[in-house]
Each structure stands twice: as structure tokens, then as C-alpha cells.
Amino acid sequence: MQELKRISPPDLAGRVAVVTGAGQGIGHSVARQLSEAGATVFAGIKSAGEGKVKGAETLAMDVTDGRQVEAAFRHISLEAGRLDILVNNAGEIAPIGRFQDLNIEDIGTTIDVNFLGAARCIRAALPLLEESRGVIVNAGTGAAKIPLEGWTAYCCSKSAELMLSRMIDEEFRPKGVRVFDMGIPPSDTQLQALVRKSGINRISKIPRKDLVDPDIPASALVWLCGDEARRIDDAVLDLRDDLFRGLMADQGLPADGGAKAQA
């Protein structure tokens, strides 16, 4: 996976974007790169201790709290008057463990973040996105389609998120709203640190040096926010697809281009 490179950003001047889970890792990098591409960015974070994004306005946005989500989007509407881009990045992988050892209620917590959290944000954003004929980009994973030992909560919740992406695309593409769900390979984030610590399944055995720099998937998520991405017919994509590899070959940037996102 080391041959993957950053993709040059589109021109997003005049666009208004919101990113969930922007306090660290891939979400932090997405928010920063959107701002560098000219967008007005609202960076949703869960807790005050998470990192702020240069050039973005920080919003308290715990995606499991419906009232907080609705308040955040009301603020965006009042402050910016529009919304063109929603990037659903907030995610949870815990609990990691074999099914018979899991607390079922803990699985529900993961679903609340990965599936219902995305659904809450989409529901709140859609009135604004319909007006702007905007785009929803969901940070997905190959684990939504491939079962991995110990990842019942994650695989099931992300599979639901993937189908949510397809359903929203089915219902709202005729109204001008595009939806993309992009699978992201194992990347050097705090989430992946939990995977390594668990020691369960083949993904946990990947050496840290072989993990993808968070700036790389972030750059692809940002590219999907631009006008050129609207020529893509599919709603479900993967960073390792020929589409993205071609963009990397044509216009790719070094993986360390720009400031590093927080791991």
C-alpha cells in the first residue's frame, strides 16, 4: 500500500463544508485539506481536548447526540447560509473481540456512532444540500463487505453505513445530491492502534510502517467533494480502485505533502 499517493485537491473556493470526527486522524486531515482548497470549513469534534484545524471553525458535534447534531447544522445555516459538502468521518471500532465474548449493548454503541451517527448528520444536512445540489462523502471500509474475526461491531455497523450511502444516493441523486462511500485501507490512526493492540485477525499484524498515511485517504475524500467527481456513476468506491490510482499517477503529491494530520 506504500505506492499510494496524495491526490491534488479540486478548487473548492466558495463551498461550505462540514467534517465529522475532525479532531484527529483522517478527519483532521480532510478538514485541513478542504480549507486549503478554498472551502469554508466547520470541523466537528466530539470533545474539547481534540485538535483544532487551522482555518476551520470548530463545532461540538458528538454524532450520537441528536440535539447536538441538529444544533450544529442550525449554526452552519445561520453562520454560512448554505452547505455544499458533508464528510461523515466519525467512527468507532471498539469493541474488538470474538462474538461470544462481546456485550451486545456495546455493539449497539458502535452502531450508534458508525451508522446512526452518519444518518443523523445526513438527515440534518439534507435540506441545505438539496438547495446547493451538494455532496455527501462517507468514509467507508472494505470491512463493510468482508467479515474479519473480532470485528462484529465494526463490520456490521459499517455495512449498514454503506447501505445507507446507497439508499440516500438512490433517493436524492434525482434531486441533485451526490453520495459517495469510499473504502479506506488500514491507515496510521488511533483506531488502527486499537486494532494492533487487540492482536486479533490479519489486519492487526500489519506493521505500523506499512500503514497508509492519513493524508492519502483524506486527499481522495476531498477530491470526491469537487466537480470532477460528479462524472462518477458509482456511489460505492475504494481508495485502491483504478480511478484513484489513475489520479495518483496523473497528479499525485508526495504522501508527506503539507502538514501531517494527527495520528
Side-chain angles (χ1 to χ4, degrees), residues 194-213:
L194 294 176
V195 171
R196 288 200 308 279
K197 184 177 179 180
S198 76
I200 298 177
N201 76 42
R202 58 184 173 79
I203 305 300
S204 72
K205 311 302 182 186
I206 299 174
R208 185 175 182 182
K209 66 181 179 62
D210 292 334
L211 297 172
V212 175
D213 186 305

Side-chain angles (χ1 to χ4, degrees), residues 88 90 113-115 118 138-141 156-166 181:
N88 279 311
V113 175
N114 294 348
F115 170 57
N138 295 327
T141 170
C156 290
S157 60
K158 296 300 282 188
S159 180
E161 182 199 71
L162 185 150
M163 184 54 73
L164 175 66
S165 299
R166 296 182 64 184
D181 188 291

Side-chain angles (χ1 to χ4, degrees), residues 30-250:
V30 168
R32 173 175 53 77
Q33 292 187 44
L34 284 169
S35 179
E36 291 171 351
T40 297
V41 180
F42 294 87
I45 65 170
K46 182 178 180 179
S47 62
E50 294 183 310
K52 294 184 178 180
V53 180
K54 182 178 180 181
E57 179 178 341
T58 300
L59 287 180
M61 195 186 303
D62 179 346
V63 298
T64 68
D65 185 334
R67 290 184 178 179
Q68 196 173 90
V69 169
E70 290 172 3
F73 282 92
R74 282 197 301 271
H75 173 80
I76 292 169
S77 179
L78 290 171
E79 185 75 14
R82 62 180 293 141
L83 181 66
D84 304 277
I85 297 162
L86 166 62
V87 179
N88 279 311
N89 170 79
E92 178 64 80
I93 196 165
I96 299 173
R98 293 170 181 84
F99 179 74
Q100 70 270 23
D101 299 325
L102 297 179
N103 182 319
I104 297 299
E105 298 305 318
D106 290 341
I107 295 176
T109 300
T110 310
I111 291 171
D112 198 14
V113 175
N114 294 348
F115 170 57
L116 293 178
R120 291 184 186 100
C121 292
I122 292 171
R123 174 69 68 84
L126 273 171
L128 292 167
L129 293 173
E130 282 190 75
E131 289 183 11
S132 66
R133 298 176 68 86
V135 60
I136 299 166
V137 181
N138 295 327
T141 170
K145 297 180 279 186
I146 301 172
L148 289 161
E149 181 185 14
W151 287 15
T152 297
Y154 187 65
C155 290
C156 290
S157 60
K158 296 300 282 188
S159 180
E161 182 199 71
L162 185 150
M163 184 54 73
L164 175 66
S165 299
R166 296 182 64 184
M167 290 301 304
I168 302 301
D169 182 65
E170 175 73 18
E171 295 183 3
F172 285 88
R173 191 188 298 202
K175 299 179 181 181
V177 177
R178 290 304 316 271
V179 183
F180 299 108
D181 188 291
M182 190 191 79
I184 297 173
S187 302
D188 190 12
T189 63
Q190 289 185 354
L191 182 149
Q192 190 62 30
L194 294 176
V195 171
R196 288 200 308 279
K197 184 177 179 180
S198 76
I200 298 177
N201 76 42
R202 58 184 173 79
I203 305 300
S204 72
K205 311 302 182 186
I206 299 174
R208 185 175 182 182
K209 66 181 179 62
D210 292 334
L211 297 172
V212 175
D213 186 305
D215 281 352
I216 295 173
S219 73
L221 293 170
V222 169
W223 184 85
L224 287 170
C225 299
D227 292 337
E228 189 178 353
R230 287 187 172 263
R231 64 182 173 81
I232 302 170
D233 187 58
D234 294 334
V236 178
L237 307 164
D238 191 279
L239 183 64
R240 292 152 289 199
D241 289 344
D242 290 343
L243 165 68
F244 294 112
R245 289 186 181 275
L247 290 168
M248 292 171 193
D250 292 342

